[in-house]
Short mmCIF file of all heavy atoms in Angstrom, two decimals:
data_model
loop_
_atom_site.label_atom_id
_atom_site.label_comp_id
_atom_site.label_asym_id
_atom_site.label_seq_id
_atom_site.Cartn_x
_atom_site.Cartn_y
_atom_site.Cartn_z
N ALA A 29 13.36 3.94 1.42
CA ALA A 29 14.36 3.41 0.48
C ALA A 29 13.80 3.46 -0.94
O ALA A 29 12.59 3.47 -1.14
CB ALA A 29 14.69 1.96 0.85
N ASN A 30 14.72 3.49 -1.90
CA ASN A 30 14.30 3.43 -3.30
C ASN A 30 15.28 2.57 -4.07
O ASN A 30 16.07 1.84 -3.46
CB ASN A 30 14.17 4.85 -3.88
CG ASN A 30 15.49 5.60 -3.89
OD1 ASN A 30 16.54 5.04 -3.60
ND2 ASN A 30 15.43 6.88 -4.20
N SER A 31 15.25 2.65 -5.40
CA SER A 31 16.16 1.78 -6.16
C SER A 31 17.54 2.40 -6.31
O SER A 31 18.50 1.70 -6.57
CB SER A 31 15.57 1.48 -7.54
OG SER A 31 15.60 2.64 -8.35
N ARG A 32 17.65 3.73 -6.13
CA ARG A 32 18.93 4.40 -6.40
C ARG A 32 19.82 4.54 -5.18
O ARG A 32 20.96 4.97 -5.29
CB ARG A 32 18.65 5.80 -7.00
CG ARG A 32 18.13 5.76 -8.43
CD ARG A 32 17.54 7.09 -8.83
NE ARG A 32 16.35 7.38 -8.04
CZ ARG A 32 15.93 8.61 -7.72
NH1 ARG A 32 16.60 9.66 -8.14
NH2 ARG A 32 14.84 8.78 -6.99
N GLY A 33 19.27 4.22 -4.01
CA GLY A 33 20.11 4.26 -2.82
C GLY A 33 19.89 5.51 -1.98
O GLY A 33 19.35 6.51 -2.44
N PRO A 34 20.33 5.44 -0.71
CA PRO A 34 20.05 6.50 0.27
C PRO A 34 20.58 7.87 -0.14
O PRO A 34 19.97 8.89 0.20
CB PRO A 34 20.76 6.02 1.54
CG PRO A 34 21.23 4.65 1.29
CD PRO A 34 21.05 4.30 -0.14
N GLU A 35 21.68 7.88 -0.89
CA GLU A 35 22.26 9.19 -1.25
C GLU A 35 21.31 10.00 -2.14
O GLU A 35 21.41 11.23 -2.20
CB GLU A 35 23.65 9.04 -1.90
CG GLU A 35 23.76 8.14 -3.11
CD GLU A 35 23.62 6.64 -2.77
OE1 GLU A 35 23.72 6.22 -1.60
OE2 GLU A 35 23.39 5.89 -3.73
N SER A 36 20.38 9.32 -2.79
CA SER A 36 19.41 10.03 -3.64
C SER A 36 18.21 10.55 -2.84
O SER A 36 17.32 11.20 -3.39
CB SER A 36 18.91 9.10 -4.75
OG SER A 36 18.13 8.06 -4.19
N LEU A 37 18.19 10.26 -1.54
CA LEU A 37 17.00 10.57 -0.73
C LEU A 37 17.24 11.69 0.29
O LEU A 37 16.43 11.90 1.20
CB LEU A 37 16.54 9.30 0.01
CG LEU A 37 15.92 8.24 -0.90
CD1 LEU A 37 15.84 6.90 -0.19
CD2 LEU A 37 14.53 8.69 -1.34
N GLY A 38 18.34 12.41 0.09
CA GLY A 38 18.71 13.45 1.06
C GLY A 38 17.63 14.51 1.23
O GLY A 38 17.30 14.90 2.36
N ASP A 39 17.07 14.99 0.12
CA ASP A 39 16.08 16.06 0.21
C ASP A 39 14.83 15.59 0.97
O ASP A 39 14.31 16.31 1.83
CB ASP A 39 15.66 16.54 -1.18
CG ASP A 39 16.77 17.33 -1.86
OD1 ASP A 39 17.76 17.66 -1.19
OD2 ASP A 39 16.64 17.58 -3.08
N LEU A 40 14.37 14.38 0.65
CA LEU A 40 13.17 13.86 1.31
C LEU A 40 13.44 13.65 2.80
O LEU A 40 12.59 13.97 3.66
CB LEU A 40 12.72 12.55 0.65
CG LEU A 40 11.44 11.92 1.18
CD1 LEU A 40 10.24 12.86 0.98
CD2 LEU A 40 11.16 10.57 0.49
N ALA A 41 14.62 13.16 3.12
CA ALA A 41 14.98 12.94 4.52
C ALA A 41 15.03 14.27 5.27
O ALA A 41 14.52 14.40 6.38
CB ALA A 41 16.32 12.22 4.61
N GLN A 42 15.62 15.26 4.62
CA GLN A 42 15.73 16.57 5.27
C GLN A 42 14.35 17.20 5.48
O GLN A 42 14.05 17.77 6.52
CB GLN A 42 16.60 17.48 4.42
CG GLN A 42 17.01 18.74 5.16
CD GLN A 42 18.14 19.47 4.45
OE1 GLN A 42 18.43 19.21 3.29
NE2 GLN A 42 18.75 20.40 5.15
N GLU A 43 13.51 17.06 4.47
CA GLU A 43 12.16 17.65 4.55
C GLU A 43 11.33 17.01 5.66
O GLU A 43 10.58 17.70 6.36
CB GLU A 43 11.46 17.47 3.19
CG GLU A 43 10.01 17.93 3.18
CD GLU A 43 9.24 17.40 1.97
OE1 GLU A 43 9.86 17.10 0.91
OE2 GLU A 43 8.01 17.27 2.10
N THR A 44 11.45 15.68 5.81
CA THR A 44 10.50 14.95 6.66
C THR A 44 11.07 14.51 8.00
O THR A 44 10.31 14.17 8.92
CB THR A 44 10.03 13.67 5.94
OG1 THR A 44 11.18 12.86 5.66
CG2 THR A 44 9.32 14.01 4.63
N GLY A 45 12.41 14.45 8.09
CA GLY A 45 13.01 13.86 9.29
C GLY A 45 13.11 12.35 9.22
O GLY A 45 13.60 11.70 10.15
N ALA A 46 12.64 11.76 8.11
CA ALA A 46 12.78 10.31 7.93
C ALA A 46 14.25 9.97 7.68
O ALA A 46 15.05 10.83 7.27
CB ALA A 46 11.94 9.85 6.74
N THR A 47 14.59 8.71 7.91
CA THR A 47 15.94 8.23 7.63
C THR A 47 15.98 7.69 6.20
O THR A 47 15.08 6.95 5.79
CB THR A 47 16.32 7.09 8.60
OG1 THR A 47 16.21 7.59 9.93
CG2 THR A 47 17.71 6.57 8.34
N ALA A 48 17.00 8.08 5.45
CA ALA A 48 17.21 7.51 4.12
C ALA A 48 18.03 6.24 4.27
O ALA A 48 19.09 6.26 4.89
CB ALA A 48 17.94 8.52 3.23
N GLY A 49 17.53 5.12 3.74
CA GLY A 49 18.24 3.86 3.94
C GLY A 49 18.26 3.02 2.68
O GLY A 49 17.74 3.41 1.63
N THR A 50 18.89 1.87 2.80
CA THR A 50 18.79 0.86 1.75
C THR A 50 17.48 0.10 1.97
O THR A 50 16.84 0.22 3.03
CB THR A 50 19.95 -0.13 1.85
OG1 THR A 50 19.86 -0.77 3.14
CG2 THR A 50 21.30 0.57 1.72
N VAL A 51 17.10 -0.69 0.99
CA VAL A 51 15.90 -1.52 1.16
C VAL A 51 16.08 -2.42 2.39
O VAL A 51 15.16 -2.55 3.21
CB VAL A 51 15.66 -2.36 -0.12
CG1 VAL A 51 14.59 -3.41 0.12
CG2 VAL A 51 15.28 -1.46 -1.28
N GLU A 52 17.27 -2.98 2.53
CA GLU A 52 17.51 -3.89 3.66
C GLU A 52 17.34 -3.14 4.98
O GLU A 52 16.73 -3.66 5.92
CB GLU A 52 18.92 -4.48 3.56
CG GLU A 52 19.10 -5.53 2.47
CD GLU A 52 19.16 -4.95 1.05
OE1 GLU A 52 19.26 -3.70 0.91
OE2 GLU A 52 19.06 -5.73 0.09
N GLN A 53 17.87 -1.93 5.06
CA GLN A 53 17.74 -1.15 6.30
C GLN A 53 16.28 -0.78 6.57
O GLN A 53 15.83 -0.77 7.72
CB GLN A 53 18.59 0.12 6.22
CG GLN A 53 20.09 -0.17 6.32
CD GLN A 53 20.94 1.02 5.87
OE1 GLN A 53 20.49 1.90 5.15
NE2 GLN A 53 22.20 1.03 6.30
N ALA A 54 15.55 -0.47 5.53
CA ALA A 54 14.14 -0.09 5.71
C ALA A 54 13.32 -1.26 6.25
O ALA A 54 12.40 -1.06 7.04
CB ALA A 54 13.56 0.41 4.39
N VAL A 55 13.68 -2.47 5.84
CA VAL A 55 12.89 -3.63 6.26
C VAL A 55 13.35 -4.14 7.63
O VAL A 55 12.52 -4.56 8.45
CB VAL A 55 13.02 -4.78 5.21
CG1 VAL A 55 12.24 -6.01 5.66
CG2 VAL A 55 12.55 -4.31 3.85
N ASP A 56 14.65 -4.07 7.85
CA ASP A 56 15.27 -4.79 8.96
C ASP A 56 14.58 -4.60 10.31
O ASP A 56 14.12 -5.55 10.92
CB ASP A 56 16.75 -4.38 9.03
CG ASP A 56 17.51 -5.24 10.01
OD1 ASP A 56 17.18 -6.44 10.10
OD2 ASP A 56 18.40 -4.72 10.69
N GLN A 57 14.48 -3.37 10.79
CA GLN A 57 13.96 -3.14 12.14
C GLN A 57 12.47 -2.77 12.14
O GLN A 57 11.89 -2.52 13.19
CB GLN A 57 14.73 -2.00 12.82
CG GLN A 57 16.22 -2.25 13.01
CD GLN A 57 16.46 -3.39 14.00
OE1 GLN A 57 15.76 -3.51 15.00
NE2 GLN A 57 17.43 -4.24 13.71
N ALA A 58 11.87 -2.70 10.96
CA ALA A 58 10.52 -2.14 10.87
C ALA A 58 9.47 -3.07 11.47
O ALA A 58 9.54 -4.29 11.35
CB ALA A 58 10.18 -1.87 9.41
N GLU A 59 8.50 -2.45 12.13
CA GLU A 59 7.32 -3.21 12.58
C GLU A 59 6.32 -3.33 11.44
O GLU A 59 5.56 -4.29 11.36
CB GLU A 59 6.67 -2.48 13.76
CG GLU A 59 7.58 -2.38 14.97
CD GLU A 59 7.11 -1.31 15.94
OE1 GLU A 59 6.17 -1.58 16.71
OE2 GLU A 59 7.66 -0.19 15.91
N VAL A 60 6.30 -2.31 10.59
CA VAL A 60 5.43 -2.30 9.41
C VAL A 60 6.26 -1.84 8.22
O VAL A 60 6.99 -0.86 8.32
CB VAL A 60 4.24 -1.34 9.59
CG1 VAL A 60 3.45 -1.17 8.29
CG2 VAL A 60 3.31 -1.83 10.70
N VAL A 61 6.17 -2.57 7.10
CA VAL A 61 6.87 -2.19 5.87
C VAL A 61 5.83 -1.88 4.81
O VAL A 61 4.92 -2.69 4.57
CB VAL A 61 7.78 -3.32 5.34
CG1 VAL A 61 8.51 -2.87 4.08
CG2 VAL A 61 8.76 -3.79 6.40
N VAL A 62 5.95 -0.72 4.19
CA VAL A 62 5.06 -0.37 3.07
C VAL A 62 5.81 -0.61 1.77
O VAL A 62 6.97 -0.18 1.63
CB VAL A 62 4.66 1.13 3.13
CG1 VAL A 62 3.78 1.49 1.94
CG2 VAL A 62 3.96 1.45 4.45
N ILE A 63 5.16 -1.30 0.83
CA ILE A 63 5.76 -1.46 -0.50
C ILE A 63 4.99 -0.57 -1.47
O ILE A 63 3.78 -0.74 -1.65
CB ILE A 63 5.65 -2.90 -1.01
CG1 ILE A 63 6.16 -3.89 0.02
CG2 ILE A 63 6.47 -3.08 -2.27
CD1 ILE A 63 6.13 -5.30 -0.54
N ALA A 64 5.71 0.36 -2.08
CA ALA A 64 5.10 1.30 -3.04
C ALA A 64 6.03 1.41 -4.24
O ALA A 64 6.66 2.43 -4.47
CB ALA A 64 4.86 2.65 -2.39
N VAL A 65 6.10 0.31 -4.98
CA VAL A 65 6.99 0.21 -6.15
C VAL A 65 6.19 -0.30 -7.33
O VAL A 65 5.10 -0.86 -7.15
CB VAL A 65 8.17 -0.75 -5.87
CG1 VAL A 65 9.01 -0.26 -4.69
CG2 VAL A 65 7.69 -2.17 -5.62
N PRO A 66 6.69 -0.14 -8.55
CA PRO A 66 6.03 -0.83 -9.67
C PRO A 66 6.02 -2.34 -9.37
O PRO A 66 7.03 -2.86 -8.88
CB PRO A 66 6.93 -0.50 -10.86
CG PRO A 66 7.72 0.70 -10.44
CD PRO A 66 7.87 0.60 -8.96
N LEU A 67 4.92 -3.00 -9.67
CA LEU A 67 4.80 -4.41 -9.28
C LEU A 67 5.95 -5.25 -9.82
O LEU A 67 6.39 -6.21 -9.18
CB LEU A 67 3.46 -4.95 -9.79
CG LEU A 67 2.94 -6.19 -9.07
CD1 LEU A 67 2.55 -5.88 -7.64
CD2 LEU A 67 1.76 -6.78 -9.83
N LEU A 68 6.45 -4.89 -11.00
CA LEU A 68 7.51 -5.70 -11.60
C LEU A 68 8.78 -5.71 -10.76
O LEU A 68 9.65 -6.56 -10.94
CB LEU A 68 7.82 -5.22 -13.02
CG LEU A 68 8.39 -3.81 -13.22
CD1 LEU A 68 9.91 -3.81 -13.11
CD2 LEU A 68 7.98 -3.27 -14.57
N ALA A 69 8.90 -4.76 -9.80
CA ALA A 69 10.09 -4.71 -8.94
C ALA A 69 9.99 -5.66 -7.76
O ALA A 69 10.98 -5.91 -7.07
CB ALA A 69 10.31 -3.28 -8.44
N VAL A 70 8.79 -6.21 -7.50
CA VAL A 70 8.61 -7.04 -6.30
C VAL A 70 9.49 -8.29 -6.29
O VAL A 70 10.11 -8.60 -5.26
CB VAL A 70 7.11 -7.40 -6.12
CG1 VAL A 70 6.92 -8.50 -5.08
CG2 VAL A 70 6.33 -6.15 -5.72
N PRO A 71 9.61 -9.03 -7.41
CA PRO A 71 10.42 -10.25 -7.35
C PRO A 71 11.88 -9.99 -7.00
O PRO A 71 12.58 -10.91 -6.55
CB PRO A 71 10.28 -10.84 -8.77
CG PRO A 71 8.98 -10.31 -9.26
CD PRO A 71 8.87 -8.92 -8.69
N ALA A 72 12.36 -8.75 -7.20
CA ALA A 72 13.76 -8.44 -6.90
C ALA A 72 13.97 -8.05 -5.43
O ALA A 72 15.11 -7.87 -5.00
CB ALA A 72 14.24 -7.30 -7.81
N LEU A 73 12.89 -7.90 -4.67
CA LEU A 73 13.06 -7.51 -3.25
C LEU A 73 13.66 -8.68 -2.47
O LEU A 73 13.44 -9.85 -2.83
CB LEU A 73 11.69 -7.11 -2.66
CG LEU A 73 11.05 -5.86 -3.26
CD1 LEU A 73 9.65 -5.63 -2.68
CD2 LEU A 73 11.92 -4.62 -3.02
N PRO A 74 14.41 -8.38 -1.41
CA PRO A 74 15.05 -9.46 -0.63
C PRO A 74 14.03 -10.18 0.25
O PRO A 74 13.83 -9.85 1.42
CB PRO A 74 16.09 -8.69 0.21
CG PRO A 74 15.55 -7.30 0.32
CD PRO A 74 14.75 -7.03 -0.91
N ALA A 75 13.36 -11.19 -0.34
CA ALA A 75 12.17 -11.80 0.26
C ALA A 75 12.41 -12.31 1.68
O ALA A 75 11.54 -12.15 2.54
CB ALA A 75 11.68 -12.93 -0.64
#
Side-chain angles (χ1 to χ4, degrees):
N30 63 8
S31 70
R32 288 165 295 150
E35 55 288 346
S36 67
L37 289 165
D39 288 350
L40 183 61
Q42 192 166 15
E43 175 196 334
T44 59
T47 302
T50 61
V51 169
E52 287 74 11
Q53 288 165 339
V55 178
D56 189 35
Q57 298 294 322
E59 298 162 80
V60 172
V61 181
V62 178
I63 309 184
V65 299
L67 201 68
L68 64 87
V70 167
L73 294 175

